[in-house]
Every structure is written in structure tokens, then in C-alpha cells.
């Protein structure tokens, strides 16, 4: 009996410590969804939604910015880790527990404004070189359907590849209803040519995250949707620069 009581106490202590451990959230550098602000803090449209969600549920967390493939894999393999913003695809369904959707996006083909090839249907893109990034859902989607993809380690190098004619198209995710924030150096050189798919994006959590917490986060997100908080954050980032 003397041995049982201390053992039960230690087990209870371990369970409480595990429950209280903060969530480790991973994301990528992809303005305006997630980016490092002038003060060195990770911010952005998607990040602000996640921070508000964590605050409402009293969830302790830390955010780490990583290359997308590593951010995604870390959430797959490390306990109490989640990744955003993650397209929810049939292939990924069993990998994670899902909180969301936090947003919706169009997958668009972008190209040079002076492109010479016809692009009237999605099948017209099959003979073209399409820029994607390693580990991205757009890369998986196009690759599995037999398109000619050229995956980069960082999606943000694809605009330069387009300008240098190293690829013909770039597969871009753009939040529904928002214009893609082209940097000034692109000018009017790169333009959207076609929407080829629509998806919803989520906070995707490792299966070790308790169902109770997933339900709590989803309930808080639903409340944010009802009270206009999600729209307020969207409007903040949709405002044109002055």
C-alpha cells in the first residue's frame, strides 16, 4: 500500500504535466498569412486568427516558423504539435486532428503577363512546366494527376523562375475574395490566369492532441466566426497599403 500511493501520485503528476504542456505551432513564411513583423514577432492574417483562438481558449502555445515541408512533418511526428494553414485533402485526412476551417483559398495558375501559350482549360496546363514547392498540397495535387511540376524548396522563388522563363506557370494559393499581394518588383509582369481548384485550410494537429482540446478550439473558432472576429482580421489585411 505504501508503494501504491506514491506511484499513483507520480502518475497523476505526469498526466497533469503532459496536459499543461503548451502546444507547439508551426507555420511557414508566407505573407500576408504568416510573416515576421518589424518587432521580430510572427504575425499575419492566419497567425492573428490562431493567436486569438489560443487566447480565447486559454491555451498556452509557442509558434515556430519553418520551411513548409519541415513544418508539416513536425506536426505529423511530434506530440502536441499543430501546423497552419494546412489544406485539408483526402490524403492528409488521417494524419491530423483538424481545427477549422480558418479560411478558404483558390488555387490559381499564375504566369507572365506576356505569355504566348493558350490556357483555356486545366488540361492545357499539362504540357507546361508548373512551379510548386516541396511538400505543398498543390504539388501533391498536380503531381498525382500527371502534371509536369517543378518543385522548389521555397515557394517564394517561383516568381523569379517565372520571370526567367524557367517555368511556365506558378501554382498559387490565394484567399477567397482577396487579391494576391504581388511585391512591387513584380509590377504587372505576373498575372493570375486560371483558378484550378478550391480548398479549405485548417490548423492541423498531431493525433496526440486531446480530443477535448480539439473540440474546445473548434467551438471557440465557431464563436469567432459568429461574432465577426474572423472577418475583422481579414479586413485588416485586405486594406490597401497607404
Amino acid at each position: 500500500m505504501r508503494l501504491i500511493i506514491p506511484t499513483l501520485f507520480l502518475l497523476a503528476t505526469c498526466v497533469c504535466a503532459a496536459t499543461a504542456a503548451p502546444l507547439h505551432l508551426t507555420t511557414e513564411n508566407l505573407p500576408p498569412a504568416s510573416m515576421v513583423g518589424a518587432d521580430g514577432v510572427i504575425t499575419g492574417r492566419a497567425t492573428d486568427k490562431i493567436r486569438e483562438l489560443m487566447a480565447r481558449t486559454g491555451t498556452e502555445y509557442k509558434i515556430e516558423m519553418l520551411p513548409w515541408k519541415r513544418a508539416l512533418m513536425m506536426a505529423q511526428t511530434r506530440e502536441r504539435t499543430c501546423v497552419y494553414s494546412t489544406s485539408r485533402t483526402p490524403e492528409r485526412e488521417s494524419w491530423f486532428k483538424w481545427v477549422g476551417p480558418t479560411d478558404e483559398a483558390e488555387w490559381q495558375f499564375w504566369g507572365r503577363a506576356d505569355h504566348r501559350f493558350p490556357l483555356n482549360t486545366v488540361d492545357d496546363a499539362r504540357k507546361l512546366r508548373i512551379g510548386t514547392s516541396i511538400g505543398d498540397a498543390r504539388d501533391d495535387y498536380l503531381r498525382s494527376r500527371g502534371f509536369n511540376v517543378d518543385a522548389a524548396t521555397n515557394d517564394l522563388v517561383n516568381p523569379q523562375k517565372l520571370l526567367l522563363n524557367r517555368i511556365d506557370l506558378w501554382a498559387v494559393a490565394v484567399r477567397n475574395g482577396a487579391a494576391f499581394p504581388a511585391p512591387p518588383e513584380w509590377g504587372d509582369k505576373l498575372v493570375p490566369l486560371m483558378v484550378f481548384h478550391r480548398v479549405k485550410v485548417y490548423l492541423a494537429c498531431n493525433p496526440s492532441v486531446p480530443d477535448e482540446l480539439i473540440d474546445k478550439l473548434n467551438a471557440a473558432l465557431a464563436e469567432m466566426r459568429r461574432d465577426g472576429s474572423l472577418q475583422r482580421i481579414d479586413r485588416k489585411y485586405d486594406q490597401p497599403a497607404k
Side-chain angles (χ1 to χ4, degrees):
M1 189 65 178
R2 292 178 180 176
L3 290 174
I4 292 175
I5 293 175
T7 300
L8 291 176
F9 176 78
L10 287 173
L11 287 173
T13 302
C14 291
V15 170
C16 290
T19 303
L23 287 182
H24 182 193
L25 308 181
T26 64
T27 189
E28 64 177 330
N29 179 34
L30 190 65
S34 51
M35 53 196 173
V36 178
D39 57 0
V41 176
I42 298 174
T43 185
R45 183 201 308 275
T47 301
D48 287 1
K49 292 178 182 179
I50 297 300
R51 290 192 186 281
E52 175 72 12
L53 181 59
M54 297 297 134
R56 289 196 182 203
T57 56
T59 304
E60 293 188 24
Y61 69 98
K62 60 179 180 179
I63 301 178
E64 184 176 9
M65 184 172 285
L66 300 166
W68 177 251
K69 185 177 181 180
R70 185 179 171 196
L72 187 71
M73 183 162 297
M74 189 173 289
Q76 285 181 258
T77 58
R78 181 179 292 185
E79 292 188 354
R80 295 189 65 84
T81 301
C82 305
V83 58
Y84 70 93
S85 299
T86 309
S87 299
R88 188 170 183 173
T89 64
E91 296 81 6
R92 293 173 171 176
E93 185 66 32
S94 63
W95 298 359
F96 302 110
K97 293 179 181 178
W98 301 89
V99 177
T102 56
D103 215 331
E104 298 181 359
E106 293 180 345
W107 289 357
Q108 302 176 356
F109 286 138
W110 278 53
R112 290 173 58 117
D114 61 355
H115 74 280
R116 302 291 182 182
F117 50 81
L119 191 63
N120 301 311
T121 69
V122 173
D123 279 339
D124 290 336
R126 289 190 178 277
K127 58 182 176 291
L128 303 174
R129 299 163 299 172
I130 304 173
T132 60
S133 60
I134 296 172
D136 187 87
R138 299 183 296 282
D139 179 78
D140 295 338
Y141 179 89
L142 293 168
R143 191 183 298 274
S144 68
R145 287 160 176 77
F147 287 82
N148 179 21
V149 298
D150 183 351
T153 55
N154 185 334
D155 197 39
L156 296 180
V157 307
N158 281 309
Q160 188 65 26
K161 289 170 69 176
L162 263 180
L163 293 174
L164 294 173
N165 282 320
R166 291 172 53 193
I167 55 176
D168 304 304
L169 296 172
W170 175 26
V172 181
V174 179
R175 192 187 69 81
N176 283 2
F180 191 77
E185 61 267 23
W186 294 2
D188 56 358
K189 297 176 182 177
L190 303 182
V191 295
L193 300 177
M194 173 183 290
V195 175
F196 67 92
H197 193 51
R198 289 178 173 86
V199 296
K200 294 181 179 181
V201 297
Y202 290 72
L203 175 70
C205 294
N206 184 275
S208 65
V209 177
D211 290 340
E212 181 182 1
L213 179 54
I214 296 296
D215 292 343
K216 187 177 180 180
L217 291 169
N218 271 311
L221 186 66
E223 180 61 28
M224 288 171 62
R225 191 172 290 109
R226 285 192 295 269
D227 68 20
S229 296
L230 297 181
Q231 295 88 336
R232 173 180 51 79
I233 293 171
D234 286 336
R235 286 195 299 269
K236 172 183 173 182
Y237 287 92
D238 285 343
Q239 292 177 353
K242 297 180 179 179

